[in-house]
Amino acid sequence: MNSSFKAVKITDRVYWVGAIDWELRNFHGYRTSRGTSYNAYLILADEITLVDTVRRPFFDEMIARIRSVVDPTKIRHVISTHSELDHAGSLGPLLEVATSASVVASAQGKSALAAHLHWDRDVGVMADGGRMSLGDASLRFFEARMLHWPDSMFAYLEEEGVLFSNDAFGMHLASSARFADELDAGICNREAAKYFANILLPFCGPLSKLLGELEKTNLDLRLIAPDHGPVWRQKPEQIIERYARWATRPSSAKAVVVFDSMWQSTDQMARAIADGLAQGGLQVEVMPLKAAHRSDVATELLDAGALLVGSPTLNNQMYPTMVGLMSYLKGLRPQGLIGAAFGSYGWGGQGVAQLDKALDEMGVERVEKGLRVRYVPDGEALASCHALGQRVAARLKEKLA
Ligand code: FEO
């Protein structure tokens, strides 16, 4: 076993004992351009406690980091903040080493762990607001249902003001730095926003509710320790404030134009529409799917006010890449968008109608029915595209006024 892996001290009693995945580029459909980390935290209290584990292939790295500060057989408790296998995947092999450790989870976590790990192990259940003594330290638990799994919960180390927030407040970012203040602030903010847009956006309702409840508890919050990416040490309230703002998905004077194209006709339409949007006073992000990934589109939509989507028609259908994009965006449920569909076609032209339907299902307010152009757009067609962009810009500016 590689013994070069060391724990990283986070506070007097808390050590990071996770693993860094420098290679990961796809996390269930989210492009993780900078890799990720799986964070596990060891609390050196009288009753030594581990908060979460790591993805199974990284077990050896985690156990080596634990060994660098304590004999893992002395672990008394393992807290599972939710059962997704990037955090619960090493529970089985860990418990073969830490044979006297108890496992603690939320009520839903107990059944979810059984469904993942197929064990009949007794799991201690922590209710919302429950406390657990570790001897000279104590943990308090907050149910965080749907943030982002049904069984999610936060754990708070009262003596040191550390909130173990499972996936919330995290980001997919592999780095040798363990604290956000050691990283480039621009990269950190961008990756935190991308994470929110792609993981937490569907759960803005429960998120706002939980943030409100946490505020009422007046926690002495000195540090936020998420399950991915860096620990928030300096002004941890700032990431909470950002989450509270993102949860309202504030629209700005920004439009996202996303499309795919077969013979550059829909591409030409997109460019003319983008020009109309820009001349209408909007910031415009043009995202051809041949170059842009859906998870980056979702990130741009986090603060956009308008979404314009374009597709050719292939065999009576929307272009396959656009089908995937619309399915992904529909699942993320961005609220309050206005927009339009467009596309070139040759025969039936069903692709644009299908895009219109997909926008309907997302609740996107339309300035007009989808704009279709047969084959290659001529000057008149491009002028129509440009005018469409200007109408969307005018409607968004009216809405924001
Ligand atoms: Fe990072 Fe929900 O697992």
Side-chain angles (χ1 to χ4, degrees):
M1 186 174 297
N2 189 334
S3 60
S4 67
F5 294 118
K6 305 289 184 204
V8 179
K9 192 169 185 176
I10 299 291
T11 68
D12 283 348
R13 276 189 273 204
V14 178
Y15 286 76
W16 176 85
V17 290
I20 305 171
D21 189 342
W22 300 94
E23 190 175 88
L24 187 81
R25 289 295 179 271
N26 186 320
F27 195 96
H28 49 55
Y30 169 158
R31 185 164 69 182
T32 49
S33 310
R34 298 179 188 275
T36 196
S37 66
Y38 311 109
N39 297 339
Y41 299 96
L42 190 67
I43 305 171
L44 295 186
D46 285 345
E47 297 181 17
I48 294 169
T49 299
L50 182 68
V51 180
D52 285 326
T53 70
V54 296
R55 205 168 162 181
R56 179 63 185 86
F58 295 86
F59 170 73
D60 287 352
E61 181 172 341
M62 179 188 76
I63 203 77
R65 292 191 197 279
I66 293 172
R67 262 199 190 105
S68 73
V69 284
V70 73
D71 175 354
T73 63
K74 296 190 184 319
I75 294 173
R76 288 289 310 279
H77 309 287
V78 186
I79 312 295
S80 171
T81 64
H82 73 302
S83 56
E84 195 165 10
L85 289 172
D86 48 337
H87 310 298
S90 288
L91 261 177
L94 175 80
L95 294 170
E96 287 174 18
V97 178
T99 50
S100 60
S102 72
V103 178
V104 173
S106 66
Q108 295 216 28
K110 179 177 178 172
S111 63
L113 285 173
H116 277 92
L117 303 175
H118 304 141
W119 64 13
D120 56 2
R121 194 181 179 97
D122 191 27
V123 170
V125 167
M126 276 295 148
D128 188 34
R131 281 191 162 83
M132 176 177 166
S133 172
L134 311 181
D136 60 346
S138 54
L139 284 171
R140 185 172 165 190
F141 295 89
F142 298 91
E143 192 174 77
R145 198 173 289 187
M146 298 319 300
L147 297 174
H148 69 124
W149 268 34
D151 56 317
S152 291
M153 66 177 186
F154 292 178
Y156 174 68
L157 180 62
E158 298 189 293
E159 289 71 18
E160 300 204 318
V162 181
L163 184 69
F164 301 103
S165 59
N166 81 70
D167 283 335
F169 312 120
M171 69 185 76
H172 286 309
L173 174 63
S175 171
S176 56
R178 298 274 63 81
F179 294 98
D181 54 88
E182 298 170 330
L183 290 159
D184 177 277
I187 291 174
C188 213
N189 290 338
R190 174 77 185 170
E191 292 300 335
K194 182 173 184 179
Y195 192 89
F196 185 96
N198 285 277
I199 304 279
L200 291 151
L201 192 62
F203 312 115
C204 288
L207 173 64
S208 296
K209 185 164 174 273
L210 179 68
L211 293 181
E213 284 164 6
L214 283 178
E215 195 176 357
K216 277 188 234 153
T217 60
N218 283 320
L219 286 185
D220 171 20
L221 199 58
R222 282 172 258 165
L223 208 124
I224 298 177
D227 269 356
H228 298 284
V231 170
W232 302 95
R233 171 174 63 178
Q234 286 183 1
K235 299 186 177 164
E237 67 279 5
Q238 286 185 347
I239 186 65
I240 294 182
E241 288 161 11
R242 247 173 269 158
Y243 264 52
R245 190 172 69 252
W246 289 332
T248 65
R249 215 203 64 79
S251 294
S252 64
K254 170 179 164 184
V256 175
V257 182
V258 55
F259 65 95
D260 209 339
S261 193
M262 288 167 70
W263 291 104
Q264 284 68 56
S265 292
T266 302
D267 183 301
Q268 287 186 54
M269 294 178 75
R271 289 163 183 271
I273 289 168
D275 206 51
L277 290 162
Q279 286 190 26
L282 301 189
Q283 177 200 336
V284 187
E285 293 293 332
V286 179
M287 307 189 84
L289 279 186
K290 286 184 174 57
H293 192 266
R294 59 180 169 262
S295 50
D296 294 314
V297 174
T299 309
E300 291 300 338
L301 275 182
L302 187 55
D303 63 351
L307 169 65
L308 294 99
V309 286
S311 174
T313 298
L314 177 65
N315 298 327
N316 302 332
Q317 303 298 318
M318 193 193 314
Y319 215 52
T321 48
M322 289 302 294
V323 174
L325 174 83
M326 298 312 289
S327 168
Y328 190 74
L329 294 183
K330 182 181 165 190
L332 292 175
R333 303 203 290 265
Q335 302 294 305
L337 288 163
I338 66 166
F342 62 94
S344 151
Y345 72 104
W347 305 296
Q350 295 92 336
V352 173
Q354 290 164 9
L355 271 180
D356 258 327
K357 183 165 181 278
L359 289 175
D360 272 342
E361 289 168 357
M362 286 175 65
V364 176
E365 175 195 328
R366 228 75 46 69
V367 296
E368 62 194 39
K369 198 160 166 260
L371 177 61
R372 298 190 311 172
V373 169
R374 187 158 180 261
Y375 291 124
V376 177
D378 58 12
E380 190 181 338
L382 292 175
S384 297
C385 293
H386 193 276
L388 171 62
Q390 288 192 306
R391 282 196 294 280
V392 170
R395 173 65 191 119
L396 179 55
K397 291 191 114 181
E398 177 189 46
K399 192 175 160 190
L400 294 175

